[in-house]
Amino acid sequence: MELKANILRIERLSLSDGKGMRTVVFFKGCPLRCAWCSTPESQSGQREVYYMKERCTGCGACIQVCPEQALRRSEKTGEIVRDHSRCKQCFQCVDACNYRAQQIYGKEMTVKEVMREIQKDEMFFFYSGGGVTLSGGDLFCQTDFAEALLEACDDACINAAAELDMFTSFENVKRIVPHLQMFYVDVKTMDPEKHKKWTGQDNACILENIRKADAICAPHSIHVRVPLVEGVNDDVENIRKTAQLCQELKNCQELEFLPYHRLGLHAYRQLGRNYQLEEHASMSRWDVYQKMGFLCETDWMFDIAISGLEVYKA
């Protein structure tokens, strides 16, 4: 049987997910539940319905066809409300909506189908030095497919990168990392208790896998990212410990800090879910520099950047 995976989407001509122009393949499914997650639509490994109220005319066609009676019209706002405890994701409401107010996150695809999309951009890869980046969600939720896709990229001589959370077995890491010319890995916080509080999982295996991956990866291929969130991981101790982790890795090329933002808020609302950090203010590059700028006073073996802007060169 041909391997299939639930793919959230495929974005073309990205300039921020590795060297050159990249085609980014977003996998569905993630074991973490980061409070600041900007792509909540990638968390579930299954296809799921979302609602675009700006397109809804209130015709009620979706309500009429729902076999579980999971949909109703809000008396207060007039928009369609979904009872997630009843919804079985049968997608009949999507088929019934003539205005595309009900849509689906995710598409089941084969390796050949994904490669067909990737190879449309081979000319851009050639001239820009780019390639494909596997993102998520978390590709380790669908390791068999990710490995097969990376093997197909190897056969086609397409440069491959990935965004990894490393919350998996090292056996899975060994199947993926050797195929990558570079990879990003998020270090949310070095504190295990805080990590569990804000992501739902301990960070012990993540840190262990990062250290072990350092021994099997391509030279200088590790790019550590820290999504900096005020009151969560922006303290001096955590920032220094993260830099010390990077210093231990012989193949760490860069430590990058990403300012917290609320770009995922709209997706939470489309999914009918609450966003835990809705009241948190977004951060600017300057806000981040004020938090981590002290690192630039020490000699490190890796570059330091803030949202793609280099602030320290090793």
Side-chain angles (χ1 to χ4, degrees):
M1 179 181 291
E2 194 169 10
L3 275 176
K4 293 183 179 181
N6 279 324
I7 301 300
L8 176 61
R9 57 179 170 264
I10 298 176
E11 294 183 358
R12 304 176 63 191
L13 306 183
S14 169
L15 294 172
S16 59
D17 295 282
K19 293 181 179 179
M21 290 185 176
R22 317 291 299 186
T23 296
V24 187
V25 181
F26 290 85
F27 284 64
K28 273 185 69 58
C30 183
L32 305 181
R33 291 296 180 267
C34 303
W36 53 87
C37 179
S38 61
T39 53
E41 68 273 26
S42 71
Q43 292 177 356
S44 170
Q46 306 302 314
R47 299 166 69 217
E48 56 190 329
V49 179
Y50 66 100
Y51 172 63
M52 302 178 69
K53 65 179 182 180
E54 62 273 18
R55 293 186 176 183
C56 182
T57 64
C59 69
C62 57
I63 297 174
Q64 295 171 20
V65 301
C66 180
E68 305 299 331
Q69 298 182 328
L71 301 176
R72 63 177 177 84
R73 183 183 290 104
S74 168
E75 294 182 1
K76 184 176 181 179
T77 64
E79 62 190 69
I80 303 300
V81 178
R82 185 179 306 274
D83 183 342
H84 292 279
S85 66
R86 285 177 170 269
C87 180
K88 304 299 182 184
Q89 300 293 339
C90 67
F91 308 125
Q92 291 190 41
C93 56
V94 177
D95 294 335
C97 183
N98 292 322
Y99 303 96
R100 294 180 55 79
Q102 303 281 2
Q103 294 193 40
I104 302 173
Y105 277 129
K107 179 181 180 181
E108 193 174 66
M109 300 181 73
T110 65
V111 172
K112 287 182 180 178
E113 287 172 334
V114 176
M115 281 301 296
R116 192 176 299 125
E117 293 302 310
I118 292 171
Q119 290 177 309
K120 290 177 181 178
D121 296 329
E122 282 188 296
M123 179 179 67
F124 299 108
F125 303 158
F126 178 80
Y127 285 105
S128 71
V132 64
T133 300
L134 307 189
S135 187
D138 175 19
L139 65 80
F140 286 122
C141 289
Q142 303 183 80
T143 305
D144 291 346
F145 186 93
E147 182 182 34
L149 181 59
L150 288 170
E151 289 173 349
C153 288
D154 288 343
D155 291 341
C157 297
I158 294 175
N159 176 289
E163 296 176 337
L164 308 175
D165 66 22
M166 291 294 192
F167 189 79
T168 187
S169 69
F170 186 60
E171 291 303 312
N172 282 340
V173 174
K174 287 193 295 184
R175 295 170 61 186
I176 297 300
V177 166
H179 292 284
L180 305 174
Q181 281 69 58
M182 61 86 67
F183 62 94
Y184 299 98
V185 58
D186 276 8
V187 176
K188 327 287 186 182
T189 174
M190 296 295 290
D191 185 294
E193 292 184 5
K194 285 186 177 180
H195 197 280
K196 189 166 186 177
K197 174 183 177 181
W198 293 105
T199 74
Q201 302 288 354
D202 187 87
N203 65 354
C205 82
I206 293 174
L207 298 178
E208 182 180 3
N209 282 334
I210 292 172
R211 292 185 173 103
K212 287 183 176 180
D214 186 42
I216 63 171
C217 67
H220 310 297
S221 60
I222 301 176
H223 293 243
V224 173
R225 280 176 165 174
V226 180
L228 208 64
V229 185
E230 187 173 358
V232 175
N233 61 354
D234 64 334
D235 56 284
V236 170
E237 181 182 10
N238 182 66
I239 291 171
R240 182 179 288 114
K241 283 185 176 180
T242 305
Q244 289 169 347
L245 168 68
C246 294
Q247 190 78 341
E248 295 172 17
L249 305 173
K250 68 179 185 295
N251 288 307
C252 182
Q253 176 69 32
E254 182 181 71
L255 169 59
E256 182 180 18
F257 293 89
L258 304 175
Y260 166 73
H261 59 74
R262 296 184 294 175
L263 297 181
L265 182 57
H266 188 57
Y268 278 92
R269 290 173 176 167
Q270 288 180 336
L271 290 167
R273 292 166 51 188
N274 294 323
Y275 181 41
Q276 189 176 345
L277 299 183
E278 186 166 353
E279 301 304 318
H280 258 59
S282 297
M283 298 177 74
S284 66
R285 282 190 173 123
W286 175 242
D287 293 331
V288 172
Y289 186 78
Q290 288 182 304
K291 301 281 187 180
M292 51 62 63
F294 69 92
L295 291 179
C296 300
E297 300 170 3
T298 303
D299 290 334
W300 303 100
M301 296 174 63
F302 50 86
D303 302 335
I304 301 176
I306 301 175
S307 193
L309 180 67
E310 189 176 277
V311 296
Y312 173 87
K313 183 71 175 177

